[in-house]
Amino acid sequence: MSKVALVTGGTRGIGAAISIALKNDGCKVAATYGSNSDAANAFASENGIDIFQWNVADAAACEAGVKQVEEKLGAVDILVNNAGITKAAMAHKMSVEQWDDVIRVDLDSVFYMTRCVLEGMREKSFGRIITISSINGQKGEMGIVNYSAAKAGVIGFTKALAQETARKNITVNAVAPGYINTELLADTPEKVMENILSKIPVGRLGTVEEVSRIVTFLSSEEAGFITGSTISANGGQYFS
């Protein structure tokens, strides 16, 4: 029987690659998005993946959205917390709104989404929860203290929750990508990109497919002995 996978922010970038990889692995996939309906509809049409719109930073919206997914596809077996935003500013210039917005989307949503599916996973003694962190949650990065704090927070969340759910065959892991070739980097000035690449020992950006393959493995039955871990995918840029 096909497993049901829910991927937040699952219609663009890394999230889209994860949604496609999980579908190709035999899952029934629900991909969420926040606001770009045109891009989401195009993704759904091209890939045959069900899409759902809600604000992951809103706890009530997450509850209502997960119910919609379960009514259409069935109980969620695999949750991938991928949705995230950045709002860059040096700390002494960062507004409270910039801080709050990033923490709510990148950290609070991980709890909101997880609590919606956790009881169902416990009842059937199976679940896979994977959260996309970042190299910047491992080492920190100037100009994005909000993002670094949120991405470090999900690593702590992962370690703690893994201890609570292990005996129920529910694994909880994080993936920490480095610089990945997505549209977010498309407009990076050449000199800035040269500086980025100079810090990556393998000498290139990562691909969304390389991240999605990690998530697909962590979602599998074969990964049942891996929990509480953070898998780095950064080309050797940072070791933790």
Side-chain angles (χ1 to χ4, degrees):
M1 186 174 179
S2 297
K3 289 184 169 56
V4 176
L6 197 168
V7 184
T8 66
T11 65
R12 300 172 67 187
I14 291 174
I18 292 169
S19 295
I20 293 167
L22 288 170
K23 182 191 175 187
N24 291 341
D25 201 44
C27 295
K28 294 188 288 185
V29 178
T32 81
Y33 69 100
S35 59
N36 193 331
S37 295
D38 289 341
N41 286 322
F43 170 82
S45 177
E46 181 178 348
N47 296 287
I49 290 174
D50 290 296
I51 58 171
F52 299 82
Q53 181 180 19
W54 71 78
N55 177 11
V56 294
D58 182 320
C62 290
E63 290 184 11
V66 170
K67 286 180 180 178
Q68 288 183 336
V69 171
E70 292 181 334
E71 287 171 1
K72 185 169 185 178
L73 300 179
V76 174
D77 301 289
I78 300 162
L79 172 64
V80 183
N81 293 303
N82 168 75
I85 61 172
T86 58
K87 292 193 174 182
M90 299 296 281
H92 65 286
K93 294 183 178 180
M94 182 174 289
S95 68
V96 171
E97 182 182 20
Q98 287 174 311
W99 174 271
D100 286 347
D101 286 349
V102 171
I103 295 297
R104 285 169 182 161
V105 174
D106 293 21
L107 178 58
D108 291 351
S109 71
V110 176
F111 170 66
Y112 297 157
M113 289 298 304
T114 300
R115 69 189 292 270
C116 291
V117 303
L118 196 52
E119 196 56 44
M121 291 179 176
R122 288 176 58 83
E123 287 176 1
K124 58 190 171 188
S125 293
F126 179 86
R128 297 289 185 262
I129 299 169
I130 301 111
T131 300
I132 305 302
S133 181
S134 167
I135 186 175
N136 295 321
Q138 296 174 302
K139 71 176 186 60
E141 182 63 38
M142 64 183 295
I144 49 170
V145 295
N146 46 5
Y147 182 81
S148 294
K151 292 302 185 179
V154 303
I155 292 174
F157 176 92
T158 294
K159 292 177 179 179
L161 184 61
Q163 297 175 61
E164 296 183 10
T165 62
R167 291 192 180 276
K168 284 291 186 178
N169 193 29
I170 302 168
T171 65
V172 189
N173 293 289
V175 179
Y179 286 91
I180 305 299
N181 190 10
T182 68
E183 61 187 47
L184 293 176
L185 294 178
D187 297 325
T188 303
E190 184 177 348
K191 288 188 177 180
V192 174
M193 182 57 69
E194 289 175 356
N195 183 54
I196 290 172
L197 294 175
S198 72
K199 297 176 181 178
I200 304 174
V202 301
R204 65 172 177 85
L205 301 176
T207 69
V208 293
E209 290 79 15
E210 286 172 319
V211 178
S212 71
R213 284 193 288 269
I214 298 170
V215 174
T216 301
F217 174 66
L218 291 175
S219 301
S220 69
E221 296 275 3
E222 290 78 9
F225 201 58
I226 302 172
T227 194
S229 295
T230 299
I231 310 298
S232 296
N234 60 44
Q237 186 176 357
Y238 181 79
F239 304 105
S240 61

